[in-house]
Amino acid sequence: MPAEHQPQSEVWMAWPIRPDNWRLGAAPTQRVFAAVASAISEVTPVVMIVQPSHYEAAREQLPERIKVLSIPYDDSWMRDIGATYLLSPEGQRRGISWQFNAWGGEVDGLYPQWERDSRVAEQMLSLTGDDFYIAPFVLEGGSIHCDGEGTLYTTEECLLHPGRNSELGKSDIEALLRIYLNIEKVIWLPAGLYEDETNGHIDNILHVAGPGEVLLTWCDDPADPQYQISRLAYDVLTTETDAKGRPIVVHKLPMPGPLYITEEEARGIKHSSMMDRQPGTRLAASYANFLITNGRVIFPLLDERHDQQARAVLQRVFSGYEIIGIEAREVLLGGGNIHCITQQVPRGSAAP
Protein backbone atom coordinates (compact mmCIF):
# COMPACT_ATOMS: atom_id res chain seq x y z
CA MET A 1 0.00 0.00 0.00
CA PRO A 2 1.51 3.34 -1.04
CA ALA A 3 1.47 6.44 1.11
CA GLU A 4 -0.89 9.33 0.49
CA HIS A 5 2.02 11.67 -0.25
CA GLN A 6 3.04 9.57 -3.26
CA PRO A 7 1.86 10.68 -6.75
CA GLN A 8 -1.84 10.23 -7.48
CA SER A 9 -3.68 9.76 -10.76
CA GLU A 10 -7.12 10.79 -9.44
CA VAL A 11 -9.27 11.26 -6.35
CA TRP A 12 -12.79 9.85 -5.96
CA MET A 13 -15.68 11.35 -3.99
CA ALA A 14 -19.42 10.65 -3.55
CA TRP A 15 -22.09 13.38 -3.62
CA PRO A 16 -23.89 13.85 -0.26
CA ILE A 17 -27.69 13.49 -0.22
CA ARG A 18 -28.70 11.47 2.87
CA PRO A 19 -31.20 13.57 4.92
CA ASP A 20 -30.61 11.72 8.22
CA ASN A 21 -26.91 12.63 8.07
CA TRP A 22 -26.76 15.96 6.23
CA ARG A 23 -28.91 18.93 7.19
CA LEU A 24 -31.37 20.78 4.97
CA GLY A 25 -31.42 18.06 2.37
CA ALA A 26 -27.60 18.15 2.21
CA ALA A 27 -27.60 21.45 0.30
CA PRO A 28 -25.03 23.21 2.57
CA THR A 29 -22.83 20.09 2.57
CA GLN A 30 -22.98 19.81 -1.21
CA ARG A 31 -21.47 23.28 -1.48
CA VAL A 32 -18.54 22.16 0.70
CA PHE A 33 -18.08 18.95 -1.28
CA ALA A 34 -18.01 21.04 -4.46
CA ALA A 35 -15.37 23.35 -2.94
CA VAL A 36 -13.23 20.38 -1.84
CA ALA A 37 -13.57 18.70 -5.24
CA SER A 38 -12.67 21.95 -7.00
CA ALA A 39 -9.55 22.46 -4.86
CA ILE A 40 -8.39 18.89 -5.51
CA SER A 41 -9.11 19.06 -9.23
CA GLU A 42 -6.67 21.93 -9.69
CA VAL A 43 -3.83 19.46 -9.09
CA THR A 44 -5.44 16.00 -9.42
CA PRO A 45 -8.34 14.79 -11.59
CA VAL A 46 -11.53 14.19 -9.55
CA VAL A 47 -14.27 11.63 -10.11
CA MET A 48 -17.56 12.32 -8.29
CA ILE A 49 -20.05 9.49 -8.07
CA VAL A 50 -23.68 10.54 -7.82
CA GLN A 51 -27.00 8.82 -7.25
CA PRO A 52 -28.67 8.69 -10.68
CA SER A 53 -31.59 10.84 -9.49
CA HIS A 54 -29.20 13.62 -8.41
CA TYR A 55 -26.92 13.59 -11.44
CA GLU A 56 -28.11 16.85 -13.01
CA ALA A 57 -28.02 18.79 -9.72
CA ALA A 58 -24.49 17.63 -8.99
CA ARG A 59 -23.28 18.27 -12.53
CA GLU A 60 -24.61 21.83 -12.30
CA GLN A 61 -22.70 22.56 -9.06
CA LEU A 62 -19.37 21.05 -10.05
CA PRO A 63 -16.68 22.44 -12.37
CA GLU A 64 -16.75 20.96 -15.85
CA ARG A 65 -13.29 19.41 -15.34
CA ILE A 66 -14.69 17.07 -12.67
CA LYS A 67 -15.99 13.76 -14.02
CA VAL A 68 -19.45 12.85 -12.71
CA LEU A 69 -20.63 9.22 -12.79
CA SER A 70 -24.01 7.71 -11.85
CA ILE A 71 -23.33 4.91 -9.35
CA PRO A 72 -25.72 3.89 -6.53
CA TYR A 73 -24.45 4.15 -2.94
CA ASP A 74 -25.88 4.63 0.56
CA ASP A 75 -23.80 7.53 1.93
CA SER A 76 -20.88 9.61 0.80
CA TRP A 77 -17.83 8.43 2.79
CA MET A 78 -15.68 7.42 -0.16
CA ARG A 79 -12.63 6.75 2.04
CA ASP A 80 -14.53 3.87 3.63
CA ILE A 81 -16.66 2.53 0.79
CA GLY A 82 -14.11 3.03 -1.98
CA ALA A 83 -11.25 0.77 -2.96
CA THR A 84 -7.79 0.75 -1.41
CA TYR A 85 -5.03 0.60 -4.02
CA LEU A 86 -1.67 -1.16 -4.04
CA LEU A 87 1.46 -0.64 -6.14
CA SER A 88 4.12 -3.15 -7.11
CA PRO A 89 7.80 -2.10 -7.11
CA GLU A 90 7.45 -1.72 -10.89
CA GLY A 91 4.48 0.64 -10.50
CA GLN A 92 1.77 -1.82 -11.44
CA ARG A 93 -1.51 -1.18 -9.63
CA ARG A 94 -4.12 -3.44 -8.09
CA GLY A 95 -6.87 -2.84 -5.55
CA ILE A 96 -8.75 -4.23 -2.60
CA SER A 97 -12.46 -4.35 -1.93
CA TRP A 98 -12.95 -4.60 1.85
CA GLN A 99 -16.07 -5.91 3.53
CA PHE A 100 -18.22 -2.98 4.70
CA ASN A 101 -20.97 -2.94 7.37
CA ALA A 102 -21.70 0.75 8.08
CA TRP A 103 -19.17 1.02 10.92
CA GLY A 104 -20.46 -1.71 13.19
CA GLY A 105 -23.19 -3.75 11.54
CA GLU A 106 -25.84 -5.03 13.91
CA VAL A 107 -23.74 -4.04 16.95
CA ASP A 108 -23.67 -0.27 16.40
CA GLY A 109 -23.78 0.42 12.67
CA LEU A 110 -24.89 3.90 11.59
CA TYR A 111 -27.59 2.82 9.16
CA PRO A 112 -29.47 -0.47 8.66
CA GLN A 113 -28.80 -1.07 4.95
CA TRP A 114 -25.42 -0.75 3.28
CA GLU A 115 -25.67 -3.09 0.30
CA ARG A 116 -25.08 -0.34 -2.27
CA ASP A 117 -22.08 0.98 -0.34
CA SER A 118 -20.57 -2.50 -0.26
CA ARG A 119 -20.58 -2.66 -4.08
CA VAL A 120 -18.89 0.70 -4.69
CA ALA A 121 -15.27 -0.47 -4.40
CA GLU A 122 -15.62 -3.14 -7.08
CA GLN A 123 -17.35 -0.70 -9.44
CA MET A 124 -14.60 1.84 -8.78
CA LEU A 125 -11.89 -0.72 -9.54
CA SER A 126 -13.63 -1.76 -12.72
CA LEU A 127 -13.73 1.84 -13.89
CA THR A 128 -10.07 2.52 -13.03
CA GLY A 129 -9.22 -0.67 -14.93
CA ASP A 130 -7.54 -2.50 -12.06
CA ASP A 131 -7.58 -6.14 -11.05
CA PHE A 132 -8.41 -6.58 -7.39
CA TYR A 133 -8.65 -8.78 -4.32
CA ILE A 134 -11.81 -9.22 -2.24
CA ALA A 135 -10.79 -9.16 1.41
CA PRO A 136 -12.67 -11.58 3.68
CA PHE A 137 -12.91 -9.24 6.67
CA VAL A 138 -14.51 -5.91 7.61
CA LEU A 139 -12.34 -2.81 7.30
CA GLU A 140 -12.77 0.82 6.27
CA GLY A 141 -10.16 2.90 4.49
CA GLY A 142 -10.27 5.53 7.23
CA SER A 143 -9.17 2.98 9.81
CA ILE A 144 -5.66 2.60 8.34
CA HIS A 145 -2.79 4.90 7.40
CA CYS A 146 0.36 3.66 5.64
CA ASP A 147 3.75 5.29 5.13
CA GLY A 148 4.47 3.54 1.81
CA GLU A 149 7.49 1.77 3.31
CA GLY A 150 5.85 -1.05 5.23
CA THR A 151 4.41 0.69 8.30
CA LEU A 152 0.68 0.73 9.00
CA TYR A 153 -1.00 2.80 11.73
CA THR A 154 -4.40 1.94 13.21
CA THR A 155 -6.31 1.89 16.50
CA GLU A 156 -7.31 -0.96 18.77
CA GLU A 157 -10.60 0.80 19.44
CA CYS A 158 -11.60 0.40 15.79
CA LEU A 159 -10.13 -2.79 14.39
CA LEU A 160 -10.77 -4.79 17.57
CA HIS A 161 -14.32 -3.49 17.93
CA PRO A 162 -16.92 -6.30 18.21
CA GLY A 163 -19.00 -4.75 15.44
CA ARG A 164 -16.37 -5.55 12.83
CA ASN A 165 -14.52 -8.87 13.14
CA SER A 166 -15.50 -10.33 16.50
CA GLU A 167 -14.08 -13.74 15.59
CA LEU A 168 -10.61 -12.32 14.92
CA GLY A 169 -7.99 -11.42 17.50
CA LYS A 170 -5.26 -8.82 17.21
CA SER A 171 -2.71 -11.25 15.75
CA ASP A 172 -5.28 -12.51 13.23
CA ILE A 173 -5.97 -8.99 11.99
CA GLU A 174 -2.26 -8.19 11.79
CA ALA A 175 -1.73 -11.30 9.69
CA LEU A 176 -4.52 -10.29 7.30
CA LEU A 177 -3.18 -6.75 7.00
CA ARG A 178 0.23 -8.14 6.13
CA ILE A 179 -1.26 -10.40 3.46
CA TYR A 180 -3.55 -7.87 1.80
CA LEU A 181 -1.46 -4.70 2.12
CA ASN A 182 2.04 -6.24 2.11
CA ILE A 183 3.02 -4.18 5.14
CA GLU A 184 5.74 -5.22 7.58
CA LYS A 185 4.66 -3.63 10.87
CA VAL A 186 1.43 -2.49 12.51
CA ILE A 187 1.54 0.31 15.08
CA TRP A 188 -1.57 0.20 17.25
CA LEU A 189 -2.79 3.33 19.03
CA PRO A 190 -5.14 2.52 21.91
CA ALA A 191 -7.98 4.76 20.73
CA GLY A 192 -9.04 7.36 18.21
CA LEU A 193 -10.63 10.75 18.66
CA TYR A 194 -13.09 11.19 21.52
CA GLU A 195 -16.73 10.61 20.46
CA ASP A 196 -15.77 9.47 16.96
CA GLU A 197 -18.77 7.41 15.83
CA THR A 198 -16.55 5.30 13.55
CA ASN A 199 -15.19 3.68 16.74
CA GLY A 200 -11.91 5.52 16.51
CA HIS A 201 -10.72 5.73 12.91
CA ILE A 202 -7.01 6.49 12.72
CA ASP A 203 -7.54 9.26 10.14
CA ASN A 204 -9.38 11.41 12.66
CA ILE A 205 -6.53 11.46 15.18
CA LEU A 206 -3.35 10.89 13.13
CA HIS A 207 -2.01 11.54 9.65
CA VAL A 208 1.20 10.24 8.11
CA ALA A 209 3.43 13.05 6.87
CA GLY A 210 6.20 10.81 5.56
CA PRO A 211 8.22 7.73 6.52
CA GLY A 212 8.84 7.90 10.26
CA GLU A 213 6.83 11.12 10.61
CA VAL A 214 3.22 11.70 11.72
CA LEU A 215 0.87 14.44 12.86
CA LEU A 216 -1.18 13.77 15.99
CA THR A 217 -4.27 15.56 17.30
CA TRP A 218 -3.26 17.22 20.56
CA CYS A 219 -5.33 18.52 23.46
CA ASP A 220 -3.89 20.71 26.25
CA ASP A 221 -6.96 20.73 28.53
CA PRO A 222 -6.57 18.11 31.31
CA ALA A 223 -10.35 18.19 31.87
CA ASP A 224 -11.06 17.11 28.30
CA PRO A 225 -11.27 13.33 27.63
CA GLN A 226 -9.10 13.82 24.55
CA TYR A 227 -6.21 14.95 26.74
CA GLN A 228 -5.46 11.43 27.97
CA ILE A 229 -6.27 9.76 24.64
CA SER A 230 -3.71 11.93 22.84
CA ARG A 231 -1.05 11.33 25.48
CA LEU A 232 -1.48 7.56 25.34
CA ALA A 233 -1.10 7.76 21.56
CA TYR A 234 1.99 9.95 21.93
CA ASP A 235 3.54 7.45 24.34
CA VAL A 236 3.06 4.63 21.82
CA LEU A 237 4.42 6.63 18.91
CA THR A 238 7.50 7.90 20.73
CA THR A 239 8.48 4.48 22.09
CA GLU A 240 7.94 2.57 18.82
CA THR A 241 10.03 2.43 15.67
CA ASP A 242 8.62 2.07 12.17
CA ALA A 243 9.06 -0.90 9.84
CA LYS A 244 12.55 0.31 8.88
CA GLY A 245 13.66 0.77 12.49
CA ARG A 246 13.38 4.56 12.48
CA PRO A 247 12.11 6.47 15.53
CA ILE A 248 8.83 8.22 14.80
CA VAL A 249 8.77 12.01 14.75
CA VAL A 250 5.46 13.31 16.12
CA HIS A 251 4.10 16.75 15.21
CA LYS A 252 1.29 17.98 17.46
CA LEU A 253 -1.79 19.40 15.73
CA PRO A 254 -4.09 21.52 17.90
CA MET A 255 -7.57 20.20 18.51
CA PRO A 256 -10.42 22.49 17.42
CA GLY A 257 -13.18 23.20 19.87
CA PRO A 258 -14.56 21.23 21.53
CA LEU A 259 -17.42 21.80 19.09
CA TYR A 260 -21.07 20.81 19.47
CA ILE A 261 -24.16 20.51 17.27
CA THR A 262 -26.37 23.57 17.62
CA GLU A 263 -30.17 23.48 17.92
CA GLU A 264 -30.52 25.06 14.49
CA GLU A 265 -28.25 22.45 12.91
CA ALA A 266 -30.05 19.57 14.61
CA ARG A 267 -33.45 20.81 13.41
CA GLY A 268 -32.32 20.49 9.81
CA ILE A 269 -31.44 16.79 10.07
CA LYS A 270 -34.01 14.00 9.70
CA HIS A 271 -34.21 11.96 12.90
CA SER A 272 -32.32 8.66 12.96
CA SER A 273 -32.23 6.15 15.81
CA MET A 274 -28.73 5.09 14.74
CA MET A 275 -26.93 8.43 14.29
CA ASP A 276 -26.77 10.93 17.15
CA ARG A 277 -27.52 14.35 15.69
CA GLN A 278 -29.12 15.97 18.75
CA PRO A 279 -28.41 19.53 19.98
CA GLY A 280 -25.36 19.54 22.24
CA THR A 281 -23.83 16.38 20.77
CA ARG A 282 -20.06 16.73 20.70
CA LEU A 283 -18.56 16.65 17.22
CA ALA A 284 -15.44 14.60 16.45
CA ALA A 285 -13.56 17.62 15.13
CA SER A 286 -9.96 17.22 13.98
CA TYR A 287 -7.50 19.00 11.74
CA ALA A 288 -5.78 15.64 11.13
CA ASN A 289 -8.66 14.76 8.79
CA PHE A 290 -7.01 16.35 5.74
CA LEU A 291 -6.01 15.12 2.27
CA ILE A 292 -2.56 15.14 0.69
CA THR A 293 -2.70 15.20 -3.10
CA ASN A 294 0.08 15.99 -5.60
CA GLY A 295 1.84 18.81 -3.80
CA ARG A 296 -1.24 20.19 -2.08
CA VAL A 297 -2.68 19.69 1.42
CA ILE A 298 -6.41 20.40 1.75
CA PHE A 299 -7.49 20.73 5.37
CA PRO A 300 -10.72 21.65 7.16
CA LEU A 301 -11.28 25.07 8.70
CA LEU A 302 -13.29 24.32 11.83
CA ASP A 303 -12.57 26.81 14.60
CA GLU A 304 -11.30 30.36 14.05
CA ARG A 305 -9.50 30.16 17.41
CA HIS A 306 -7.22 27.39 16.09
CA ASP A 307 -7.43 27.37 12.27
CA GLN A 308 -4.33 29.46 11.70
CA GLN A 309 -2.31 27.55 14.27
CA ALA A 310 -3.20 24.31 12.48
CA ARG A 311 -2.28 25.88 9.14
CA ALA A 312 1.11 26.91 10.54
CA VAL A 313 1.85 23.37 11.72
CA LEU A 314 0.88 21.93 8.34
CA GLN A 315 2.96 24.52 6.49
CA ARG A 316 5.99 23.70 8.62
CA VAL A 317 5.63 19.93 8.17
CA PHE A 318 4.74 20.12 4.46
CA SER A 319 7.16 22.90 3.59
CA GLY A 320 7.09 22.29 -0.16
CA TYR A 321 3.30 21.97 -0.38
CA GLU A 322 0.49 24.42 -0.97
CA ILE A 323 -1.81 24.46 2.08
CA ILE A 324 -5.49 25.05 1.28
CA GLY A 325 -8.09 25.51 4.01
CA ILE A 326 -11.80 24.97 3.34
CA GLU A 327 -14.69 25.79 5.70
CA ALA A 328 -15.86 22.28 6.52
CA ARG A 329 -18.20 22.36 9.53
CA GLU A 330 -21.03 21.05 7.33
CA VAL A 331 -18.99 17.91 6.63
CA LEU A 332 -18.11 17.59 10.31
CA LEU A 333 -21.82 17.55 11.21
CA GLY A 334 -22.08 14.29 9.27
CA GLY A 335 -19.39 12.60 11.35
CA GLY A 336 -16.12 13.07 9.47
CA ASN A 337 -14.18 15.44 7.27
CA ILE A 338 -12.08 15.96 4.15
CA HIS A 339 -10.01 12.79 4.40
CA CYS A 340 -13.16 10.73 5.01
CA ILE A 341 -14.93 11.98 1.88
CA THR A 342 -12.03 11.34 -0.49
CA GLN A 343 -10.15 8.28 -1.75
CA GLN A 344 -7.03 8.63 -3.86
CA VAL A 345 -5.92 6.37 -6.69
CA PRO A 346 -2.11 6.19 -6.83
CA ARG A 347 -0.32 6.82 -10.11
CA GLY A 348 0.54 3.51 -11.76
CA SER A 349 -0.39 1.13 -14.53
CA ALA A 350 -2.93 -1.67 -14.46
CA ALA A 351 -1.28 -4.92 -13.39
CA PRO A 352 -1.59 -7.88 -15.80
Side-chain angles (χ1 to χ4, degrees):
M1 181 178 174
E4 196 171 307
H5 54 263
Q6 291 176 233
Q8 299 169 14
S9 65
E10 55 194 42
V11 171
W12 283 54
M13 300 176 66
W15 194 243
I17 57 171
R18 195 178 180 104
D20 58 352
N21 198 36
W22 309 108
R23 73 188 188 104
L24 304 178
T29 315
Q30 289 169 0
R31 290 191 287 271
V32 181
F33 271 58
V36 171
S38 181
I40 296 169
S41 67
E42 291 174 356
V43 295
T44 308
V46 173
V47 177
M48 182 75 71
I49 70 170
V50 181
Q51 289 281 15
S53 59
H54 289 75
Y55 179 90
E56 293 301 330
R59 180 68 280 173
E60 185 176 315
Q61 295 186 61
L62 293 165
E64 195 61 36
R65 63 180 177 270
I66 292 173
K67 183 185 295 186
V68 180
L69 301 177
S70 291
I71 294 177
Y73 53 93
D74 296 297
D75 204 359
S76 47
W77 303 107
M78 184 56 78
R79 178 67 50 178
D80 296 340
I81 65 176
T84 296
Y85 287 81
L86 311 173
L87 287 178
S88 75
E90 297 75 33
Q92 293 179 331
R93 195 173 63 204
R94 288 183 181 170
I96 301 171
S97 173
W98 308 105
Q99 302 299 311
F100 179 77
N101 70 354
W103 308 277
E106 295 182 2
V107 175
D108 64 348
L110 298 183
Y111 38 83
Q113 295 179 322
W114 53 82
E115 290 80 9
R116 291 180 296 185
D117 275 350
S118 67
R119 294 193 292 266
V120 167
E122 292 185 33
Q123 294 176 82
M124 179 180 179
L125 287 155
S126 174
L127 289 164
T128 60
D130 295 288
D131 195 7
F132 59 91
Y133 311 99
I134 299 176
F137 62 109
V138 176
L139 187 136
E140 305 96 32
S143 69
I144 54 173
H145 259 310
C146 278
D147 69 350
E149 296 190 4
T151 309
L152 180 142
Y153 299 84
T154 190
T155 73
E156 295 176 353
E157 178 187 3
C158 183
L159 292 200
L160 302 184
H161 189 274
R164 284 170 176 76
N165 303 289
S166 58
E167 73 285 2
L168 299 177
K170 192 173 184 179
S171 61
D172 300 317
I173 291 173
E174 278 205 19
L176 287 166
L177 292 171
R178 290 172 188 269
I179 290 169
Y180 281 89
L181 297 173
N182 196 18
I183 49 92
E184 300 167 27
K185 183 171 184 176
V186 180
I187 294 178
W188 297 84
L189 302 191
L193 201 72
Y194 180 65
E195 295 285 50
D196 185 343
E197 63 189 5
T198 65
N199 310 117
H201 271 189
I202 191 71
D203 71 351
N204 219 19
I205 189 172
L206 175 145
H207 208 300
V208 174
E213 190 173 8
V214 302
L215 296 105
L216 176 68
T217 297
W218 195 252
C219 173
D220 283 320
D221 180 4
D224 193 300
Q226 187 59 43
Y227 180 89
Q228 185 65 16
I229 294 171
S230 292
R231 275 155 181 77
L232 290 172
Y234 185 83
D235 289 345
V236 170
L237 293 166
T238 54
T239 54
E240 281 274 13
T241 56
D242 69 6
K244 304 303 182 187
R246 294 172 291 222
I248 298 166
V249 176
V250 181
H251 304 279
K252 297 174 182 177
L253 263 178
M255 184 184 77
L259 305 176
Y260 302 88
I261 297 179
T262 67
E263 288 198 18
E264 179 184 358
E265 289 166 341
R267 278 197 300 270
I269 302 173
K270 182 180 178 182
H271 174 70
S272 166
S273 61
M274 304 177 80
M275 291 186 278
D276 186 6
R277 302 290 183 267
Q278 301 303 310
T281 298
R282 180 162 169 168
L283 297 164
S286 168
Y287 293 116
N289 207 305
F290 61 84
L291 176 73
I292 309 169
T293 182
N294 291 340
R296 180 171 282 193
V297 170
I298 302 169
F299 82 104
L301 299 174
L302 298 169
D303 183 347
E304 61 183 11
R305 297 167 295 179
H306 301 291
D307 287 346
Q308 295 312 309
Q309 184 185 357
R311 180 191 294 275
V313 173
L314 292 170
Q315 193 67 78
R316 173 170 53 82
V317 174
F318 297 99
S319 60
Y321 287 68
E322 186 179 11
I323 310 299
I324 305 294
I326 294 178
E327 296 283 352
R329 183 178 173 92
E330 295 294 341
V331 182
L332 174 61
L333 291 171
N337 227 291
I338 290 171
H339 196 258
C340 303
I341 64 174
T342 55
Q343 178 61 287
Q344 72 276 357
V345 179
R347 197 174 297 162
S349 58

